[in-house]
Structure formats: structure tokens, C-alpha cells
């Protein structure tokens, strides 16, 4: 009997994978009576000199068994935390002129002067609808040219929500997180997801391109398109199990919360959060997979399942490269309360069994393994820094960093 790579990964995870030996865990932000979460939804950036900046949602703590232990949405704020020493120490703060400061659907400004995407201190924060701190179905973004000290915006994506390719499938709510690739001074590729209004799980991922410094945007191509009975290959399947009948069609599964990486040859790899649910057959599968584009984001091809994101609602990945050229992906696995890392030595075609970065999750309700949503960086000394939200008995409901040497794997 042929066993799929996903089945092998799942079995290895069940065998209590060995943890990395020299791990440094750092508290980025944690305060008694407060909840902090979701770096992947808020974005993270790295600047010269191993300066790191991470966004997160900050709010009052409120026990909510079976859900997020967070207070009312009206009390949630988009915060930042900065490290100037490669993630060893941090300062967290509520920035001015930033996400949430202009209302749920703010008046959007035009970009009058071209954005220099290649500026060394450039940062971009993308906003959509359907997650904490963001309620704008049109999508918008903020930019900074000084490493996130000051922000400008909000700026819009034009009439993107009415693009024919989105309207054809009724996907007129934008649900992007912050994932973009800088191509040159005037050009960038932004990964955006869209969904049918109000229908959770219908998100599909596509590329948006600007070639004029953010003054206009063009639909570049679907990464994972909605299922189309005419255009979709009916035999396509994601290899999650060794039983093809149980494996979902890629376009019938949620595709959202990506992180992308630009390879040396100009091709692009993106890893994303996937979910397939079939209540009639009792199927609820959550995983991370990787796609690649060799034509500037116009077309994408499935490469491999990166890892099993556990039960419940899954978890998004972070993606970067090690100093020796391997791709490195980090994601949360909620079923067992762990942060995992896996590597690819062939640009995303195959991935190692995951290693444990952290497995000491603890929560006050002991029901919800509410964790993960990582971002990932490589320091100048070659060590990796994963940023995520987590909860331990000593430091509950906070933002954490784990620093490690990937040459151990």
C-alpha cells in the first residue's frame, strides 16, 4: 500500500518528535490581564542591523472556553514590538497613524508619489476583512519608509473588489494578511485572498502586481483559484492520505494566510494555510502546502504538502531561507499545542519531517490550543528567529520569539 507524504508526516508527529537542542525562548510582549496574538495577521519586518519589527493584536484578556481568550473587538488594538538586537530584547507600543485609527472602512488616499519599494527601511502593512482589527472588505494598506517609526496611509487597491475575475465567483470581500515581495524600486507583488461575503472558509489566494510605485494595481493570477466545473482539472487532488477518495480537490479547500519567498532565479514560492471540511463524511483536514511560480506570479503550480497543522481550524505558515540555502517553514500545530519547523533542500519540492521548536503550551481553560500564526527571519549570524503567539503557565497569552541554529537539523 502506498503511503502519502502527509500520512508519514502525521505519523512522525505522533511519535513525539525530537526538539531542537539549543533553543532560546524570548518574551516579546506579555502583560497580566492582557491578550496578544496573531503576528501573521499583522505582519513582521526585518531591517539592516538585525532590527526586527512585529505586529500583533493587543486587547484585554477575557476567558472564553472554546474560543480566543480576548475581550471585545472594540477594545482590540494593532500594536508593534521592536527589537534592535536580533530578537533578544523587545519594546512593544501602540503606534500612531496606523491600522484601526481611521475606522472600520476608512477614507482611502491615492498614492500621489511613487512608493520606493526597494528602500532599505521600507515596510508595508496590508489590511482586509474577517480577522482581528480589520473590517474593510475593499482592503487597504499603510507604508513606512523609516523602518516602521512613522506610517502613511491608508491607501487603496483601486476597484479591485469589482475585478471581473473576482466577481465571476462572487468573491468580493478581500481577506489579505501582510505578504508581499519587492521586485524592484517601482514593482511589488502582493498576495491577496478573497472570499464570498460573510462565508468563512471560501477564501482563495491570488497575486496583485504594481509596477508604478503603488499608484495602480493589476490582477496577476490565481495561486489557488475557486473551483470551476469548466476550467478546473476534476482529477486534481492534494495528497493528504493514501486513499485518493478522501483527498480534496485543491480548489475546493480554503487557501489563505500565505507567506512568500523570492528565489535567486526570480521564481517565487509561497506557503499557505489550507483547510478542507466535509461534514457529511466527517472530514476536517488542516495542512500547509507550497506552490511555485516561474513567470512572475501569473501562474502557479502545486509542489508539496509542507506539514500537518492539526485539528480544529489549522494554522498559517511562516517562510524564509537558511544561510545554507534551504527553505524553512514554521507553523503552529494546535492539536498538541506545538510550534513546528520543517526544511526543504530542493526549493519546496520535498520537506523534512517537522522538528519541535516549542511544546509547553498552557491555557487557563485547558481547551483551546490558541497559538502560532508565526513570522520568520534569518539573522546576520545565520540563526533563525520565529515570532508567534503562545501561552505558558508563567507567561500566558503573549507574543514570543524562538531563536535557534538551523544547522542542528
Amino acid at each position: 500500500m502506498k503511503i502519502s507524504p502527509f500520512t508519514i508526516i502525521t505519523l512522525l508527529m505522533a511519535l513525539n518528535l525530537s526538539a531542537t537542542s539549543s533553543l532560546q525562548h524570548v518574551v516579546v510582549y506579555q502583560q497580566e490581564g492582557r491578550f496578544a496574538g496573531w503576528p501573521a495577521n499583522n505582519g513582521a519586518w526585518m531591517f539592516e542591523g538585525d532590527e526586527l519589527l512585529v505586529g500583533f493584536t493587543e486587547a484585554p484578556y477575557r476567558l472564553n472556553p472554546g474560543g480566543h481568550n480576548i475581550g471585545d473587538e472594540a477594545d482590540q488594538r494593532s500594536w508593534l514590538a521592536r527589537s534592535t538586537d536580533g530578537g533578544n530584547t523587545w519594546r512593544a507600543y501602540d503606534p500612531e497613524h496606523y491600522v484601526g485609527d481611521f475606522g472600520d472602512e476608512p477614507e482611502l488616499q491615492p498614492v500621489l508619489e511613487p512608493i520606493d519599494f526597494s528602500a532599505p527601511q521600507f515596510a508595508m502593512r496590508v489590511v482586509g476583512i474577517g480577522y482581528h482589527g480589520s473590517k474593510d472588505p475593499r482592503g487597504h494598506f499603510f507604508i513606512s519608509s523609516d523602518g516602521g517609526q512613522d506610517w502613511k496611509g491608508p491607501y487603496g487597491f483601486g476597484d479591485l473588489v469589482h475585478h471581473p475575475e473576482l466577481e465571476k465567483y462572487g468573491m468580493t470581500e478581500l481577506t489579505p494578511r501582510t505578504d508581499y515581495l519587492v521586485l524592484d524600486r517601482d514593482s511589488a507583488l502582493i498576495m491577496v485572498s478573497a472570499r464570498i461575503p460573510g462565508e468563512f472558509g471560501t477564501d482563495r489566494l491570488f497575486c496583485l502586481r504594481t509596477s508604478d510605485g503603488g499608484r495602480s494595481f493589476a490582477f496577476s493570477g490565481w495561486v489557488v483559484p475557486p473551483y470551476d466545473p469548466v476550467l478546473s482539472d476534476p482529477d486534481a487532488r492534494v495528497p493528504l492520505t493514501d486513499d485518493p477518495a478522501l483527498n480534496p480537490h485543491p480548489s475546493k479547500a480554503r487557501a489563505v494566510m500565505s507567506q512568500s519567498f523570492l528565489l535567486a532565479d526570480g521564481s517565487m514560492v509561497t506557503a499557505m494555510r489550507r483547510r478542507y471540511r466535509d461534514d457529511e463524511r466527517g472530514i476536517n483536514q488542516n495542512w500547509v502546502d507550497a506552490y511555485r511560480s516561474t513567470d512572475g506570479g501569473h501562474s502557479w503550480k502545486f509542489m508539496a504538502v509542507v506539514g500537518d497543522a492539526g485539528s480544529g481550524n489549522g494554522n498559517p505558515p511562516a517562510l524564509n531561507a537558511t544561510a545554507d540555502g534551504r527553505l524553512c517553514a514554521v507553523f503552529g500545530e494546535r492539536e498538541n499545542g506545538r510550534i513546528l519547523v520543517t526544511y526543504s533542500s530542493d526549493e519546496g519540492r520535498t520537506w523534512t519531517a517537522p522538528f519541535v521548536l516549542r511544546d509547553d503550551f498552557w491555557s487557563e481553560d485547558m481547551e483551546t490550543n490558541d497559538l502560532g500564526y508565526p513570522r520568520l527571519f534569518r539573522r546576520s549570524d545565520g540563526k533563525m528567529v520565529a515570532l508567534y503567539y503562545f501561552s505558558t503557565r508563567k507567561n500566558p497569552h503573549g507574543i514570543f520569539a524562538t531563536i535557534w541554529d538551523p544547522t542542528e537539523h
Side-chain angles (χ1 to χ4, degrees):
M1 180 178 66
K2 183 179 179 181
I3 301 178
S4 72
F6 186 82
T7 302
I8 295 172
I9 289 172
T10 303
L11 290 171
L12 287 170
M13 289 173 63
L15 294 175
N16 191 20
L17 299 174
S18 59
T20 307
S21 60
S22 59
L23 294 170
Q24 178 187 356
H25 298 311
V26 178
V27 177
V28 174
Y29 172 81
Q30 189 276 325
Q31 295 291 327
E32 185 177 356
R34 310 298 294 182
F35 183 96
W38 306 289
N41 285 354
N42 288 266
W45 307 266
M46 186 174 191
F47 309 107
E48 188 177 358
D50 289 341
E51 181 176 355
L52 305 178
L53 186 69
V54 62
F56 61 95
T57 303
E58 203 278 351
Y61 167 83
R62 184 177 66 195
L63 185 62
N64 180 27
H68 303 301
N69 291 328
I70 190 170
D72 294 336
E73 194 166 5
D75 297 321
Q76 298 174 20
R77 299 289 182 267
S78 294
W79 276 41
L80 295 171
R82 185 182 303 277
S83 172
T84 58
D85 57 9
N88 293 307
T89 61
W90 294 83
R91 179 181 67 88
Y93 59 98
D94 185 359
E96 297 181 355
H97 200 99
Y98 194 56
V99 178
D101 292 345
F102 302 89
D104 293 342
E105 295 189 38
E107 181 178 351
L108 302 180
Q109 307 173 29
V111 176
L112 300 177
E113 296 294 328
I115 298 168
D116 181 359
F117 293 107
S118 63
Q121 295 285 299
F122 174 76
M124 182 180 189
R125 166 69 153 93
V126 182
V127 181
I129 193 172
Y131 64 95
H132 313 277
S134 305
K135 291 186 177 181
D136 188 357
R138 307 163 298 173
H140 61 265
F141 64 95
F142 292 80
I143 60 169
S144 172
S145 58
D146 58 5
Q149 302 286 350
D150 301 290
W151 294 87
K152 296 179 181 179
Y155 301 112
F157 293 113
D159 200 27
L160 178 60
V161 291
H162 298 299
H163 190 281
E165 194 64 26
L166 299 183
E167 288 195 327
K168 177 169 64 175
Y169 300 105
M171 305 184 77
T172 54
E173 281 187 347
L174 302 185
T175 60
R177 279 59 168 174
T178 298
D179 178 23
Y180 60 91
L181 294 172
V182 173
L183 305 179
D184 56 42
R185 177 186 175 92
D186 297 312
S187 304
L189 194 70
I190 300 100
M191 308 301 284
V192 181
S193 52
R195 72 179 184 189
I196 299 170
E199 293 192 19
F200 175 84
T202 60
D203 314 71
R204 301 295 184 270
L205 190 68
F206 65 93
C207 291
L208 195 63
R209 177 184 286 267
T210 178
S211 301
D212 57 7
R215 288 177 291 182
S216 66
F217 295 87
F219 185 96
S220 183
W222 289 104
V223 181
V224 179
Y227 184 77
D228 189 313
V230 176
L231 300 177
S232 299
D233 177 3
D235 297 323
R237 292 291 185 272
V238 181
L240 299 181
T241 75
D242 54 349
D243 183 353
L246 298 179
N247 291 334
H249 191 285
S251 291
K252 291 184 177 181
R254 188 187 191 200
V256 72
M257 299 183 197
S258 63
Q259 186 159 37
S260 305
F261 188 81
L262 185 63
L263 297 171
D265 65 358
S267 59
M268 306 163 185
V269 175
T270 188
M272 73 199 77
R273 177 183 190 173
R274 306 302 306 274
R275 184 187 190 192
Y276 176 69
R277 185 169 180 172
D278 185 333
D279 291 336
E280 290 185 2
R281 295 193 292 170
I283 299 173
N284 179 27
Q285 295 172 312
N286 302 279
W287 72 98
V288 172
D289 60 19
Y291 281 69
R292 182 169 181 167
S293 174
T294 59
D295 59 4
H298 296 292
S299 63
W300 294 80
K301 183 179 180 180
F302 170 78
M303 287 195 297
V305 173
V306 177
D308 179 1
S311 62
N313 192 30
N315 222 260
L319 184 67
N320 213 307
T322 61
D324 60 8
R326 293 176 295 160
L327 287 178
C328 175
V330 174
F331 56 95
E333 190 268 300
R334 281 174 162 159
E335 186 169 1
N336 297 293
R338 300 186 293 188
I339 305 295
L340 302 176
V341 60
T342 180
Y343 303 89
S344 173
S345 298
D346 54 11
E347 299 182 332
R349 297 175 182 86
T350 60
W351 295 81
T352 67
F355 299 86
V356 176
L357 289 182
R358 190 152 202 179
D359 61 0
D360 59 337
F361 184 84
W362 175 89
S363 68
E364 295 185 38
D365 55 23
M366 298 311 295
E367 288 186 53
T368 306
N369 288 353
D370 195 9
L371 55 85
Y373 285 60
R375 298 291 85 172
L376 180 63
F377 296 107
R378 185 183 78 234
R379 299 194 318 195
S380 59
D381 63 0
K383 289 187 176 182
M384 307 300 291
V385 183
L387 299 159
Y388 51 91
Y389 80 110
F390 207 71
S391 183
T392 68
R393 186 176 293 275
K394 182 180 179 180
N395 293 296
H397 317 298
I399 307 299
F400 294 81
T402 293
I403 304 168
W404 80 100
D405 183 351
T407 63
E408 295 182 352
H409 299 151

